[in-house]
Amino acid sequence: MLSTVGQCCMPWLFLLARNPKTKRSKRFLESRAPKLVEDGKSAMIMKGGNTSQLISNVLKDIYALKKPNAVLYKKKNITRPFEDSTSLEFFSKKTDCSLFLFGSHSKKRPDNLILGRLFDFHVLDMIELGIEKFSSLSDIKASKCPEGTKPMLLFAGEAFDTDNEHKRLKSLLIDFFRGPNVSAVRLAGLEHVLHFTSLDGKIYMRSYRSLLKKSGCRTPRIELEEIGPSLDLVLRRTHLASDDLYKLAHRKPKAKKKKNISHDAFGTKFGRVHMQKQDLSKLRTRKMKGLRKRKGRAAVGEQDGPAPKEARVAS
């Protein structure tokens, strides 16, 4: 499944090399350890050594869309991910992030964005995009969606289904903007739409807010209102993982089935306990005063019961 691609997993050797001294540090290391169901993915958003004001505004707006599952670095980082990715891998271990967005600006590649993801704290995919046109959140005067809203992702264009680089870019964008995994979403919560269009070698990113209008029936009429940010992007360089490594990133460990545990339709957990056959004749019960044996009564008299009234009078 694509949802598992690029998930940041801590190697067991790294965990074994660090012995926790307190219970708090032990819980922290266990939270970083590989899991069958991984936590939500977080993203690092950072600047390069040379940046422009446009790149700074783009990074801030994308951070606003990604919050709270994002870390924004305000200081500049003098690094070139396509030449040396060790600094990205270091920050990935430090913040436990499996996604990154790197912005830079140079004469050769003006207004440059690098979108990527990591697997096992090593770079898996990187795609370089150039910004040709940008409209920020503040430029478009409209009411915005609340922070942490899970967006609906729409993709248009044949390139997303035919071209290998655009396919990987689609997978990367889904990983970056999908948000946390949820079991159900209410209708009023479907208010943020991110639309990506591939046309003539360019990628157009638009952000909308869905408005529910009265339609005269039970189903509301939906209108889209642009809220920003708006980006016109062009594809530049790519660094894609090999097929074997990409397949390894998809692999999930087999779940160990727990015996004698079941769940009902409502999710209630039941456990079955196996016990040996119990001898009820040796079961100790509560002793009552009326059931005690008296010392002066004979065993035969107790079995026959008390004598009749006439017999007692005659004697």
Side-chain angles (χ1 to χ4, degrees):
M1 296 176 64
L2 291 176
S3 59
T4 63
V5 176
Q7 182 63 47
C8 204
C9 298
M10 178 74 73
W12 283 110
L13 294 176
F14 182 73
L15 288 174
L16 294 174
R18 301 175 60 184
N19 296 323
K21 296 182 180 179
T22 60
K23 292 184 178 180
R24 183 179 179 183
S25 60
K26 183 179 179 181
R27 290 194 300 268
F28 175 77
L29 292 179
E30 288 177 352
S31 66
R32 293 290 185 90
K35 307 178 186 65
L36 184 62
V37 179
E38 293 286 354
D39 301 329
K41 298 182 183 180
S42 300
M44 302 181 297
I45 300 176
M46 54 180 61
K47 303 178 183 179
N50 296 322
T51 56
S52 60
Q53 186 61 37
L54 186 141
I55 286 293
S56 300
N57 295 336
V58 170
L59 296 180
K60 288 180 182 178
D61 284 1
I62 295 180
Y63 172 68
L65 295 180
K66 186 66 179 171
K67 283 194 302 186
N69 300 318
V71 178
L72 178 63
Y73 288 92
K74 296 183 179 180
K75 293 184 178 180
K76 295 182 179 181
N77 297 277
I78 304 175
T79 182
R80 295 176 181 178
F82 276 88
E83 299 175 7
D84 185 13
S85 59
T86 54
S87 60
L88 291 175
E89 295 170 358
F90 169 76
F91 285 117
S92 174
K93 287 183 181 179
K94 186 177 180 180
T95 58
D96 194 23
C97 293
S98 58
L99 301 165
F100 68 89
L101 180 66
F102 185 85
S104 61
H105 178 76
S106 63
K107 185 176 180 181
K108 187 177 181 180
R109 294 181 178 88
D111 301 327
N112 200 45
L113 287 177
I114 299 176
L115 187 67
R117 56 188 168 191
L118 301 98
F119 171 70
D120 198 14
F121 294 120
H122 296 287
V123 173
L124 182 71
D125 290 331
M126 280 191 300
I127 296 179
E128 190 177 65
L129 301 168
I131 303 173
E132 293 188 345
K133 187 179 179 181
F134 169 67
S135 298
S136 65
L137 284 165
S138 57
D139 294 339
I140 301 174
K141 305 299 179 182
S143 56
K144 313 300 180 184
C145 296
E147 177 184 327
T149 303
K150 186 177 174 68
M152 296 179 285
L153 304 178
L154 302 177
F155 292 87
E158 295 182 359
F160 286 124
D161 299 324
T162 56
D163 184 61
N164 187 33
E165 292 183 350
H166 283 76
K167 282 182 182 180
R168 198 66 64 88
L169 176 61
K170 178 182 177 180
S171 172
L172 188 54
L173 290 171
I174 290 174
D175 261 356
F176 196 88
F177 290 107
R178 66 179 300 170
N181 295 326
V182 294
S183 57
V185 180
R186 63 190 181 97
L187 182 61
L190 299 173
E191 55 180 338
H192 188 202
V193 179
L194 285 177
H195 192 275
F196 299 93
T197 305
S198 176
L199 183 64
D200 298 333
K202 295 183 180 180
I203 296 132
Y204 301 93
M205 174 183 168
R206 299 292 183 267
S207 178
Y208 301 98
R209 183 187 179 193
S210 61
L211 304 176
L212 304 180
K213 301 290 185 179
K214 293 182 179 180
S215 61
C217 59
R218 189 173 181 179
T219 305
R221 179 171 54 88
I222 299 176
E223 293 184 0
L224 296 180
E225 180 185 16
E226 189 172 359
I227 60 174
S230 173
L231 288 166
D232 293 355
L233 305 169
V234 60
L235 194 64
R236 289 178 178 169
R237 291 184 295 176
T238 59
H239 172 79
L240 304 180
S242 61
D243 294 337
D244 295 337
L245 182 59
Y246 195 69
K247 189 180 295 184
L248 179 63
H250 283 77
R251 186 177 299 172
K252 284 186 176 182
K254 293 183 179 179
K256 294 182 179 179
K257 188 177 180 180
K258 296 183 179 179
K259 296 182 179 179
N260 304 323
I261 293 178
S262 59
H263 297 79
D264 62 357
F266 301 100
T268 307
K269 189 176 182 180
F270 295 96
R272 181 180 297 176
V273 180
H274 295 274
M275 299 179 62
Q276 296 180 356
K277 189 175 181 180
Q278 189 175 6
D279 187 3
L280 299 179
S281 62
K282 298 180 180 180
L283 183 65
R284 299 187 63 180
T285 58
R286 184 180 178 185
K287 296 181 179 179
M288 297 182 64
K289 189 175 182 181
L291 299 177
R292 292 180 183 174
K293 292 182 179 180
R294 298 179 183 179
K295 296 181 180 180
R297 305 178 88 183
V300 178
E302 290 178 357
Q303 292 177 2
D304 298 337
K309 187 176 180 180
E310 294 80 2
R312 291 203 301 268
V313 173
S315 63

